[in-house]
Amino acid sequence: MTSIANSFITSAPVDPTISKTDGIVTNTITAVCNKGPVPVPKDLDDLVRLLHIELGTSGLDSEDVDVERVQQLMANYKSNMRDWKKYALFDKGRYTRNLVDDGNGKFNLMILAWPETTGSAIHDHSGSHCLMKILDGRLQETLYHWPDKVINESDNPDSGMGSDNSDDEEKEKDAAMKIKKETILKRNKVAYMHDKLGLHAVSNPLKSKGAISLHLYTPPYETCKTFNERSSKARSSGKCVFFSDKGEKIDACRSKEYTKCSLTNV
């Protein structure tokens, strides 16, 4: 499997030809692929079809799948509201995860709808590869270093948070999550994320407009770890459930699992 050294399609892998199309910097990687040119999906349904072909029965962990090629395929799809409008279902006060395709159990393709000023918790990806494409609006990605040691909240319930003791305040400051970089992602930009790159949080910075993003996760996951920004302590997210499935709102979306998920409930 080809490795990715950086989380953005605008960061060139080894030996690609850099080209600009419609103001978007992309990596033309056909010279290092054995499958020929990376196809250009004509719409979202076509992208789903092509992802099934590219990922086969194994997902991105397969040795014969090129991560950069799949990333370029996502970049080649140009956002069109007519394609994704039915999946872009919002919920007040939190972002939603709307399933587009389950990838025969090898990947999940979903659309996330972000109301104004909402965001995710800091989180890992349970070993999954994540590709994120902005379909509308803009999102801010904040990339964090992994803590030196991952400590679960339950391991030490007396964390000293909120104490007036200056020693505790110093410990809290030292334990805070460390930011690697912050990036604003605009329409049609694609980012790559994996636990090897660190942890991240994603948010909609706009006060007047929602945002829509397309996410590919392979292999799929139902739970992850979320992290306290001040203490770096981790907790299980709980089950990450979908708000809708193939454009149909799920009746149980207001279940306890949905409302208690620490990934979206921030």
Side-chain angles (χ1 to χ4, degrees), residues 15-31:
D15 244 359
T17 301
I18 302 299
S19 63
K20 289 187 178 181
T21 304
D22 297 330
I24 303 164
V25 181
T26 60
N27 292 325
T28 305
I29 61 175
T30 57

Side-chain angles (χ1 to χ4, degrees), residues 65 68 75 123 187 199:
V65 174
E68 291 168 359
H123 61 281
R187 183 183 173 93
L199 305 165

Side-chain angles (χ1 to χ4, degrees), residues 173-227:
K173 183 178 179 180
D174 291 341
M177 298 287 294
K178 304 299 190 296
I179 294 176
K180 293 176 82 171
K181 65 178 178 179
E182 295 179 309
T183 307
I184 297 293
L185 301 170
K186 298 180 181 180
R187 183 183 173 93
N188 281 317
K189 291 291 186 179
V190 178
Y192 171 80
M193 187 60 188
H194 189 273
D195 291 342
K196 293 178 181 178
L197 299 175
L199 305 165
H200 79 169
V202 179
S203 63
N204 177 4
L206 300 179
K207 296 180 180 180
S208 58
K209 183 179 181 180
I212 307 293
S213 54
L214 179 68
H215 295 241
L216 173 71
Y217 297 101
T218 176
Y221 66 88
E222 287 191 338
T223 64
C224 63
K225 287 185 180 295
T226 60
F227 291 78

Side-chain angles (χ1 to χ4, degrees), residues 250-263:
I250 297 173
D251 290 339
C253 67
R254 278 295 180 183
S255 66
K256 184 177 181 180
E257 286 178 336
Y258 174 78
T259 57
K260 295 297 183 183
C261 177
S262 65
L263 181 62

Side-chain angles (χ1 to χ4, degrees), residues 129-145:
H129 300 269
C130 171
L131 288 167
M132 173 175 66
K133 179 184 180 73
I134 311 305
L135 298 179
D136 195 42
R138 60 183 62 188
L139 291 174
Q140 175 173 308
E141 181 189 40
T142 304
L143 188 65
Y144 294 85
H145 293 278

